[in-house]
Structures are given as structure tokens and as C-alpha cells.
Amino acid sequence: MDVKPSVKQEDAIREKAKSMPEEKTAKKSEVYYSSVAYLQFEDDTKVLSDLHRKGHVNKLLKEAANYDQGDAIELNRTFKSPLQNRGDDLVKEDKNYAVVYNNSVGGTYEVYRKVTEQNVEQNIKRYGLPDNATQDVKELAQSTSKKEKSLSAKEDAASSMLKQYDSMKAKHPDAMLLFRSGDFYMIYRDDAVKASKILDLSLTQKTKGIDMISFPHHALDMYLPKLIRAGERVAICDQLEMPRKEKVELSKTTKAEVSDNAKDLRDNLASKIVETVGKNNHHAFVLPLADKALNAETTRGENTELAKMQVLRGRVTFIDSEDNKLQLRDLKANTIQQLTDTLPSIAKAYLESIKSKEAVSHPTTQSTVAQAATTEQQQKFIDDIKAAMGSSKMVVLPDFGTKKGVVAGTDEDKGISLNRVYAWNDNVSFAGSVPSDDASKRRYYHPENIRPEFYDYLISEVKRAVAPQLITENGQKVTSANMFESPKQEGKYFFYARLDGVGLHPKAVKEADVEAFMKQEISVKDMFAKYYPTKMAKQLSKEDFDNTKLSDGRELTTFRVYKQRNEDKPLFGEYLLYAEMGDKRFHATPLTHDQLDMYFDRTQSKGQLAEKVIGEQLHLKSAYEKYKLPENIPTPEVRIRKVPEGAWLISANVGNKGQTAEKKLSNNDQYSLFKSKTATKEQLGAKYLMEDIKELSQSHLVSRSQGLKR
């Protein structure tokens, strides 16, 4: 038998094999293929060849598995891809085995057992790495060796960090210690066990036998109050440096270690600068450096002179003499080390000079020029804004604008119209524009950019914006409910609202409702109930929502809503409903936006939703009740007839107006009409012929004399 290999399949498998080092399984383990049988002669391959020729590839795979005797894997026949020879064709594979066919030498088959990366590693440790091992196995052995060395280094670092932690804990034995390490706060030993219950965080054991929990540094504002409310005394150790000796004792410096060292230098500089100018510095601190003649070497090899340093929310940046902005990562390690030695003292001296100037100024002297807010004023403003926002990260301020809310900034004389406020980990910011901006431009302002006389006004506006305009039956708060005109289409309006701080998809507003809402004839509650009805409706319990009973007493055995992710399918990207009742399957049907809202908001049971979506496929009486002939037209005579080809056609006679064209009935409607008797002729006439009936009823009679005479 001559079975040609699939070229496309071969290319696809080879491409997959190339990318496999980066493709992980659910257990983060690569799949390897270890040969257990190579079948070359006719007697050995006859059974497999017969199954292959007949297309019984599943049976072929089961038969091939019988050749596996369960022996240890052979490292000289273990690969990342089952396609190792020219002309190889992957016939079939499952989670355990793969079969490869090659039409050379009369047709050969090779059976591979699929093994994990851990299986191969264990085999190497147990039997050693043979000289004839495949290149894939040798690369794995080399990678494993590097990982073990890296893990050992990490364990050493963890051990050193634990020593520092225990040292700090000894100084504060009655306090729960939050230890800052990089971007995380760590809690160890008994404190970790206690904190895990308070914070509802899982315990881990990064170091064997030592309990620990961790959370991102930006989550401190959320977790610290919980610990304090639980009665714990908390001590925070922020960004401890590793001892210098440990860094010096490294005998070899790899490229990765150089990179880590550069990062340590950057973090060390930033830490010292922030410690000098203010650890929780929220306003932009600018340190003039033009008179210091500080030269810097960039990572590109260029030399430049630093003109100023800026610190904003713990981030340090520089401006050079040519007005170029430089990040710490743009500077070479030797430059960063030099700046670490000199900048803190320069910044300290600059701060002291500012304080001395403020001390000699007369306290009662009032300046006619608007003053910027002090650090204390900014911090209080930030705290008050975040308290007003609660858990929300962004609040829309719809009433802000040139008419109702104009705020002036200290860095410019123009009026600023603010429309949004954002809450960060340790700061807030506002988005807005000035009169000269176009509609698409947005500017951002921090507390230091806004004059302090506007602080109280802004706090009150944020409180007003987050106050619920109504509360749904499910206890959810509706805020920012309002109507706005489309920026792309004049005269088209949308209704928008936020529910528990989450923005809802804007809904197009009907023309009549636009005018009524502007005249305040329709309330926000009425608009919300009309355009977001499922958000207002009472949410069903899980038991009621999972009920798959239909109105006629039958019950679905399968109900599933899924999104079509196959790009080759015609309904790609849409949500579809699939259902089964016994041995009957109902084709996947796309859901409308309203039906999706019912499903995700759980305002209709699964059975009720199925009636709305596939009621006609289920031959339900309720599905046809929506079809009604027009009342303002004399009831037409609906006719149904069967043609010789077997199809059933429907038409209507509208008196002296004439007869509609015939339309073919679907199989579902035929069954509902003749078998289940859940649909009437009139209902089907309304479904198929409504437009034709209306068109006929509006037509004028043409007399025979008018048709012949001119």
C-alpha cells in the first residue's frame, strides 16, 4: 500500500516541534516522544496497514499501544517531535501514544510513548546521560543543571532574607512584621499563619518547613487596615538592602547577574532619594542640578550633563542640559553608583535651604499670587478623594465643564474642565481639558497641579458623583446615569450608567425618549429600567436559574451557552445556545443582546431562555403567540397547500386586493402546525406574509378600463 504523507501536516508538526520549548502543558511540563517500537517488515505492519488503509485510525492507535512493553524510556530514541525522518507522517496521537507512518522501505510504522519532561529528567538522574542520547535530551539535561544551580542560588537568597526578617522580628517581637522584598510584602512563620486567616490568603512554603504569605506592595492599602482592625500591631520593613559582602563574594558574574546588579543599583538609588525627599512624596519634587556639573554616561555610550532631577510618587527621573528626559534604566551602572554617593546629600542641602527661607518669611504676609498646596494639604486632599471614591478606581464627573465646574491650575492660567478622577495606589489624578483643546484631547492633572482653594469643591463634587442615583432590587448602586450625544453622529444620543462602579455598555436612546428626558418628563429610574431592564429585575437564585423545565412540562437534558471561537465558522465571535432533550439535539442559535443580558444577569431561568431562543424548534405554543395578523386590515384568508415535490407553501388572499406570493414553510413550522398543533395557519401567515399583506392592503385597485384606455 502506498499512503502519501500529508505535507501540510508534516510542516505543521515540525513547526509545533520548533516552538515546543515555549509551549507548556497544564502542569508546566513539555511533552517528549520516546520510541517503543519500529515496525518495518510486512508481517509486523500488516494489522496497522489494514487499519490505516480503511481509515480506522483510532483502532490503529489502540493496536499500536500493544507494542509498548512498559520498559524504561530509551534516551537515544526520545525526541521533542515524533517526526524525525524525511517523509514521516503523523497518523494519530492521543494523550499517551503517537503513531508515525513513512512510505519508504515498503511502509514503516513507529510507535512513540508520550512522556513528560519530568519523566525524562528522572530517567537521566537514575541511569545517567548516555553518549548516544538525542540532542533534545542533552539540551534538557543542560537546562536542568542550570535550573538546579539557579534554584540553589535562590534558596541562598531566601535564606539570607529570612535572616534579615528574623533579625527585625527580634527587635519587634510583639508586632506582625511586613517585610518588603521587591514588589511584594512577605510575612513568615507564625505571623503568616495568623495573617492568612485574617486576610484570607493561602499559606505557601517557599522555603521548606517555613510558612509564608505574600501580596503585591500596591495592595498594602487594602490589607493593612484589615490587620489593624483585627487588633494586630504591625511593623513594616520597607526595601531592605542585601548585605554588600554577599554581592562581593560572587566568584563569577554572568550576564543575568550583571542585569540583576544594575537593577539593585537603580533600586538602591531610588530608595535613598525617596528616603531623603520624602518616602510618601505625592507632589513633584524637582532638584536643580545645572550648577552641580554632574556628568552622566548613558547605556548608549553618550555623555551628557544633568540639569535637574524629579521625584514623583517614588519614581526618579532626570532632565539633561538638552532637555532630554532620562530614566534610571537609561544610565550606566557606574553613573548610578556615583549619583547614589552624591545626590542624597545635594537633595538634603536643597531641602534645608528651602525650609530656612520659609522660616525667615513673615507668617502674616499674604501673597497676592496664588500659592501651590503644601505637601500636607495635598496628602489630605488625596485621602479625602479616595475616601469619597471608596472601592472605585475611576469616577465620571458628568457635570464638570466650562458651565458648572471650572478649576484653575497653578501651572497655567487657563481654566481646566475636569470630567474624570482616577485613584491610584498612593495618589489620585484628574482628566480634563482646556477651552482650546479639541474633543479628542485629554489632559491629566495631579493634586500639585490644582490650586488648594478648589480642593473642598472637588471633594464635594466627587461625593456627589458617587452618590447612588438609584438602587436596584439586587442592592446594586447606580451612579453616573446620564444621556450624552454621540461625538461621531450629531443628533444621536446614548444613555450611560455605572453599576457598583462598573461602566455599562451605552444604549442608543429613542428620539421620543431624548426629548422627554431633557424635559425631565422621564426620570433616571425610568430610563434605567427601560434601557437596562435585566439590571433592574430581581436576580434568580442558582436553583431557580438552573431550572430547565419548559412551559409544556417537558425538560431539557442539556443547556449550554458558549462563544463561537472558531474563525472558520459563520457565527464567529457570537454567543450561541445549544440544547438537547433526550436524543434530540437543537442546533446552536445566536443570542440577541437582550437575551444575553437575561442569561448573564440571571433574570430568566434556563428553560425560559430556551423558549425565547429556540421555542419554535421545540414546537412550543408560547413561541408562536407573538405572531398576529394586523388588526387594521380585514382578516385575510390564509391558504396552505402541498406541491408535488413535497414542500408545503403558504399564501394569503386579501380580498379584492389580490393574493400574496407563496412562501415555503420550514420543517419546524410544518411539525408545529400538523403534528404538535401548537401553531395556527393565521400565526404562520403573520410570520411569513406580514410584509406582503401590508403592501397589498395599501395598493390601489386599477380598473380594467383604466388599464386599457389612455
Side-chain angles (χ1 to χ4, degrees):
M1 181 189 72
D2 185 15
V3 182
K4 294 183 179 179
S6 169
V7 176
K8 287 187 177 179
Q9 186 184 34
E10 182 178 344
D11 291 343
I13 294 297
R14 292 188 186 280
E15 285 300 317
K16 181 180 178 182
K18 292 178 182 178
S19 62
M20 281 189 72
E22 297 179 0
E23 293 179 4
K24 305 293 183 180
T25 66
K27 296 182 179 180
K28 297 183 182 290
S29 173
E30 290 182 305
V31 175
Y32 282 75
Y33 296 81
S34 184
S35 177
V36 295
Y38 180 76
L39 310 175
Q40 183 174 359
F41 301 102
E42 182 66 17
D43 291 340
D44 292 330
T45 62
K46 187 177 186 306
V47 177
L48 300 182
S49 296
D50 289 341
L51 293 172
H52 192 186
R53 185 179 65 254
K54 294 176 182 178
H56 299 163
V57 290
N58 288 323
K59 292 182 180 179
L60 183 150
L61 192 64
K62 291 181 181 178
E63 180 64 27
N66 295 328
Y67 291 91
D68 186 7
Q69 302 300 315
D71 298 330
I73 62 177
E74 297 180 8
L75 298 181
N76 63 325
R77 294 296 299 161
T78 301
F79 310 93
K80 288 183 179 179
S81 167
L83 303 181
Q84 293 300 316
N85 304 302
R86 186 172 183 177
D88 279 353
D89 180 26
L90 182 65
V91 179
K92 181 72 174 179
E93 73 172 312
D94 61 9
K95 64 179 180 179
N96 297 317
Y97 294 94
V99 178
V100 172
Y101 172 79
N102 195 308
N103 66 350
S104 63
V105 199
T108 64
Y109 290 86
E110 188 154 10
V111 180
Y112 289 93
R113 184 199 307 165
K114 295 172 72 172
V115 296
T116 64
E117 184 179 85
Q118 287 88 342
N119 294 144
V120 182
E121 289 175 344
Q122 290 170 4
N123 198 282
I124 294 172
K125 290 179 180 178
R126 181 174 297 178
Y127 303 106
L129 183 67
D131 294 335
N132 63 345
T134 64
Q135 185 61 32
D136 292 336
V137 172
K138 290 180 179 178
E139 289 176 357
L140 175 61
Q142 186 178 6
S143 174
T144 302
S145 177
K146 289 182 179 179
K147 286 180 183 177
E148 290 175 349
K149 291 180 181 178
S150 175
L151 183 62
S152 177
K154 288 182 179 179
E155 288 177 349
D156 291 341
S159 176
S160 175
M161 188 166 61
L162 272 173
K163 289 180 182 178
Q164 293 189 27
Y165 179 89
D166 291 338
S167 175
M168 295 299 297
K169 182 65 179 176
K171 296 178 182 179
H172 306 279
D174 59 336
M176 182 177 290
L177 180 60
L178 273 61
F179 187 89
R180 175 73 177 266
S181 176
D183 293 334
F184 290 85
Y185 278 104
M186 324 291 286
I187 307 177
Y188 293 97
R189 305 188 192 281
D190 294 340
D191 284 352
V193 176
K194 191 185 302 182
S196 69
K197 298 176 181 178
I198 299 173
L199 304 179
D200 194 23
L201 296 175
S202 300
L203 282 170
T204 58
Q205 289 191 351
K206 193 169 184 179
T207 302
K208 189 174 182 181
I210 299 177
D211 294 320
M212 64 161 279
I213 63 171
S214 64
F215 56 83
H217 69 91
H218 56 74
L220 181 65
D221 293 343
M222 179 173 64
Y223 289 126
L224 182 58
K226 290 184 179 180
L227 294 173
I228 294 175
R229 285 196 295 269
E232 296 295 331
R233 182 172 176 266
V234 181
I236 299 176
C237 180
D238 197 0
Q239 291 182 332
L240 290 179
E241 295 182 27
M242 296 292 289
R244 286 289 176 186
K245 288 183 180 180
E246 295 185 8
K247 293 179 182 177
V248 175
E249 288 172 359
L250 294 177
S251 58
K252 291 184 179 181
T253 304
T254 64
K255 185 176 181 180
E257 289 169 342
V258 170
S259 175
D260 291 341
N261 184 52
K263 184 179 185 305
D264 290 341
L265 290 174
R266 294 195 298 268
D267 292 345
N268 185 36
L269 171 59
S271 177
K272 287 193 173 184
I273 293 298
V274 170
E275 184 179 356
T276 303
V277 304
K279 179 174 287 187
N280 296 315
N281 182 265
H282 301 298
H283 69 291
F285 172 84
V286 179
L287 176 65
L289 298 173
D291 60 338
K292 305 300 180 184
L294 289 178
N295 293 319
E297 186 178 0
T298 68
T299 53
R300 296 181 179 180
E302 301 172 349
N303 289 310
T304 186
E305 185 173 317
L306 301 181
K308 64 178 72 171
M309 178 188 73
Q310 178 173 298
V311 183
L312 180 61
R313 299 189 301 280
R315 187 178 181 185
V316 179
T317 55
F318 295 93
I319 303 294
D320 66 10
S321 56
E322 297 180 359
D323 206 30
N324 297 315
K325 188 173 183 179
L326 298 173
Q327 310 285 349
L328 288 180
R329 62 174 178 269
D330 298 328
L331 303 178
K332 277 197 171 181
N334 60 339
T335 297
I336 294 175
Q337 184 60 60
Q338 293 170 4
L339 294 176
T340 304
D341 297 335
T342 58
L343 279 181
S345 58
I346 295 175
K348 185 176 180 180
Y350 179 74
L351 286 172
E352 289 176 352
S353 66
I354 292 177
K355 289 180 180 179
S356 62
K357 290 179 182 178
E358 291 177 350
V360 298
S361 63
H362 200 280
T364 58
T365 303
Q366 295 291 332
S367 174
T368 57
V369 180
Q371 298 294 318
T374 63
T375 303
E376 290 75 15
Q377 286 177 312
Q378 292 178 39
Q379 185 59 57
K380 184 178 184 305
F381 175 61
I382 292 168
D383 294 340
D384 290 344
I385 289 290
K386 293 181 72 173
M389 293 177 67
S391 60
S392 299
K393 296 299 180 184
M394 189 271 284
V395 171
V396 178
L397 306 173
D399 288 343
F400 273 52
T402 55
K403 294 182 179 179
K404 296 185 177 180
V406 178
V407 178
T410 58
D411 53 352
E412 55 182 303
D413 296 328
K414 301 175 182 178
I416 306 169
S417 177
L418 302 179
N419 50 53
R420 281 178 174 81
V421 58
Y422 300 89
W424 306 103
N425 297 325
D426 55 359
N427 205 349
V428 296
S429 59
F430 293 83
S433 59
V434 297
S436 59
D437 290 340
D438 57 44
S440 61
K441 187 171 182 179
R442 183 176 294 176
R443 299 170 184 250
Y444 293 91
Y445 303 90
H446 298 288
E448 66 270 13
N449 303 127
I450 301 172
R451 294 179 185 172
E453 59 263 31
F454 291 94
Y455 280 3
D456 290 340
Y457 168 65
L458 289 174
I459 293 169
S460 65
E461 287 297 321
V462 172
K463 288 181 178 178
R464 188 167 69 89
V466 300
Q469 292 167 271
L470 64 103
I471 298 177
T472 68
E473 286 193 45
N474 301 308
Q476 295 173 297
K477 298 178 181 179
V478 178
T479 60
S480 306
N482 211 333
M483 188 172 63
F484 66 91
E485 187 175 13
S486 170
K488 297 181 180 179
Q489 186 175 348
E490 186 178 355
K492 186 173 183 179
Y493 287 83
F494 291 88
F495 184 71
Y496 168 83
R498 298 182 71 82
L499 189 65
D500 282 347
V502 178
L504 302 178
H505 186 76
K507 299 283 188 175
V509 181
K510 296 180 180 179
E511 188 175 344
D513 292 337
V514 172
E515 187 176 354
F517 186 74
M518 288 181 174
K519 293 180 179 179
Q520 297 185 346
E521 296 173 356
I522 300 179
S523 66
V524 168
K525 183 177 181 180
D526 295 333
M527 290 285 286
F528 193 84
K530 184 170 184 178
Y531 291 97
Y532 299 105
T534 59
K535 305 295 183 185
M536 288 291 288
K538 184 68 176 177
Q539 192 177 70
L540 298 178
S541 65
K542 188 178 186 307
E543 182 181 358
D544 291 338
F545 175 68
D546 289 335
N547 186 0
T548 56
K549 282 189 176 181
L550 305 175
S551 58
D552 62 356
R554 293 180 295 167
E555 188 169 357
L556 298 173
T557 53
T558 299
F559 177 98
R560 187 161 66 95
V561 171
Y562 67 97
K563 189 173 185 179
Q564 179 58 267
R565 302 187 184 279
N566 189 340
E567 296 185 8
D568 297 331
K569 299 290 185 179
L571 297 174
F572 170 69
E574 294 192 42
Y575 282 91
L576 308 175
L577 169 65
Y578 172 80
E580 293 180 8
M581 183 183 291
D583 59 349
K584 294 183 179 180
R585 298 181 178 181
F586 301 95
H587 298 295
T589 307
L591 279 73
T592 64
H593 288 296
D594 292 339
Q595 291 165 349
L596 275 176
D597 288 341
M598 294 175 190
Y599 177 76
F600 288 115
D601 293 331
R602 300 197 326 192
T603 59
Q604 298 277 302
S605 70
K606 292 180 178 179
Q608 291 171 328
L609 186 61
E611 289 200 24
K612 294 180 181 297
V613 181
I614 57 172
E616 294 177 24
Q617 295 181 48
L618 293 164
H619 312 297
L620 291 168
K621 186 177 181 179
S622 60
Y624 291 95
E625 291 175 349
K626 60 185 176 183
Y627 298 119
K628 296 180 181 179
L629 292 169
E631 296 180 356
N632 59 340
I633 300 174
T635 305
E637 179 186 359
V638 179
R639 299 173 180 176
I640 295 178
R641 72 184 183 93
K642 187 177 183 180
V643 296
E645 292 80 5
W648 287 87
L649 305 179
I650 184 171
S651 62
N653 188 345
V654 191
N656 57 3
K657 298 284 187 177
Q659 183 170 328
T660 67
E662 291 182 314
K663 302 289 180 68
K664 182 180 177 181
L665 290 178
S666 69
N667 292 334
N668 282 328
D669 292 332
Q670 290 178 42
Y671 188 94
S672 298
L673 178 64
F674 297 118
K675 297 292 185 180
S676 64
K677 300 187 184 302
T678 51
T680 65
K681 290 194 302 181
E682 288 71 25
Q683 288 172 334
L684 295 180
K687 177 182 178 180
Y688 286 91
L689 308 170
M690 181 67 80
E691 294 301 322
D692 291 348
I693 291 173
K694 289 181 178 179
E695 186 176 348
L696 272 178
S697 67
Q698 295 171 1
S699 64
H700 297 284
L701 285 175
V702 179
S703 66
R704 185 170 298 179
S705 60
Q706 288 176 325
L708 296 175
K709 294 181 179 179
R710 288 287 180 185

